[in-house]
């Protein structure tokens, strides 16, 4: 039996270092890449962790609007509610899981022109710890590592999908 170190409890974890970004070049303009990503239902085409995402009725990629995501990782399945906090066509799209006012994680996509396409940067940032993430530092580390692998797979799949579907 192992004994947990006091610094491993959720209330002792500083969320700031729990952040990463990954970048991929895609054969699309920033405006096209933004349009694909901000239509949150599309992300399930590329992400191994997103089964579906749907904006609330009348909502869309506008700051303050909400959507529901149905997610998966291995045998685990969960639903999340997220609120758009940035929607700048061709520049950036981001949302906060659990809402802007009390969010757990922020996801951000940015788009930078590069040659005949653009660089798409996807960033994951832990805003606060929450029991939904687990109860120890190791649990939070595991979530970060799972999300890192998911982002890498998503960006590779996005680039491939765009190459195979040049009209977007």
């Amino acid at each position: 039996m192992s004994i947990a170190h006091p610094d491993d409890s959720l209330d002792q974890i500083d969320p700031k270092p729990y952040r990463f970004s990954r970048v991929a070049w895609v054969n699309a303009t920033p405006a096209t890449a933004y349009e694909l990503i901000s239509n949150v239902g599309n992300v399930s085409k590329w992400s191994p962790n997103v089964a579906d995402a749907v904006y609330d009725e009348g909502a869309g990629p506008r700051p303050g609007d909400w959507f529901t995501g149905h997610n998966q990782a291995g045998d685990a399945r969960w639903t999340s509610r997220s609120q758009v906090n940035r929607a700048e066509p061709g520049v950036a799209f981001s949302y906060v899981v659990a809402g802007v006012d009390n969010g757990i994680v922020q996801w951000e996509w940015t788009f930078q022109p590069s040659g005949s396409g653009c660089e798409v940067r996807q960033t994951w940032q832990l805003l606060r710890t929450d029991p939904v993430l687990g109860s120890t530092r190791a649990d939070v580390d595991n979530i970060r590592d799972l999300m890192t692998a998911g982002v890498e797979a998503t960006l590779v799949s996005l680039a491939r999908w765009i190459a195979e579907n040049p009209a977007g």
Side-chain angles (χ1 to χ4, degrees), residues 34-95:
Y34 170 89
E35 196 66 33
L36 288 169
I37 299 301
S38 65
N39 178 350
V40 295
N42 281 336
V43 178
S44 65
K45 295 176 184 178
W46 315 299
S47 174
N49 299 327
V50 178
D52 188 28
V54 179
Y55 281 111
D56 291 0
E57 188 162 335
R62 295 180 299 270
D65 284 2
W66 288 83
F67 66 90
T68 299
H70 300 281
N71 308 290
Q72 59 196 24
D75 292 335
R77 304 279 184 269
W78 68 97
T79 299
S80 61
R81 293 280 294 152
S82 297
Q83 186 178 27
V84 176
N85 65 336
R86 186 174 179 196
E88 296 177 50
V91 177
F93 177 73
S94 66
Y95 59 89

Side-chain angles (χ1 to χ4, degrees), residues 1-158:
M1 181 164 121
S2 65
I3 299 174
H5 189 277
D7 289 344
D8 286 342
S9 66
L10 284 183
D11 60 346
Q12 297 299 312
I13 297 173
D14 178 5
K16 289 183 191 90
Y18 286 88
R19 180 183 198 281
F20 68 85
S21 293
R22 295 295 186 268
V23 179
W25 183 87
V26 301
N27 191 21
T29 66
T32 297
Y34 170 89
E35 196 66 33
L36 288 169
I37 299 301
S38 65
N39 178 350
V40 295
N42 281 336
V43 178
S44 65
K45 295 176 184 178
W46 315 299
S47 174
N49 299 327
V50 178
D52 188 28
V54 179
Y55 281 111
D56 291 0
E57 188 162 335
R62 295 180 299 270
D65 284 2
W66 288 83
F67 66 90
T68 299
H70 300 281
N71 308 290
Q72 59 196 24
D75 292 335
R77 304 279 184 269
W78 68 97
T79 299
S80 61
R81 293 280 294 152
S82 297
Q83 186 178 27
V84 176
N85 65 336
R86 186 174 179 196
E88 296 177 50
V91 177
F93 177 73
S94 66
Y95 59 89
V96 179
V97 177
V100 172
D101 293 334
N102 195 30
I104 299 170
V105 169
Q106 176 175 280
W107 288 93
E108 181 176 57
W109 300 75
T110 58
F111 313 94
Q112 183 70 38
S114 176
S116 62
C118 72
E119 288 185 354
V120 176
R121 176 179 302 272
Q122 189 176 4
T123 302
W124 181 90
Q125 171 70 56
L126 182 64
L127 302 174
R128 68 175 173 85
T129 58
D130 187 278
V132 72
L133 302 173
S135 58
T136 67
R137 182 179 305 275
D139 292 339
V140 177
D141 288 348
N142 287 338
I143 293 289
R144 179 207 49 221
D145 295 347
L146 175 71
M147 294 301 110
T148 302
V151 165
E152 291 169 358
T154 298
L155 289 172
V156 168
S157 293
L158 171 66

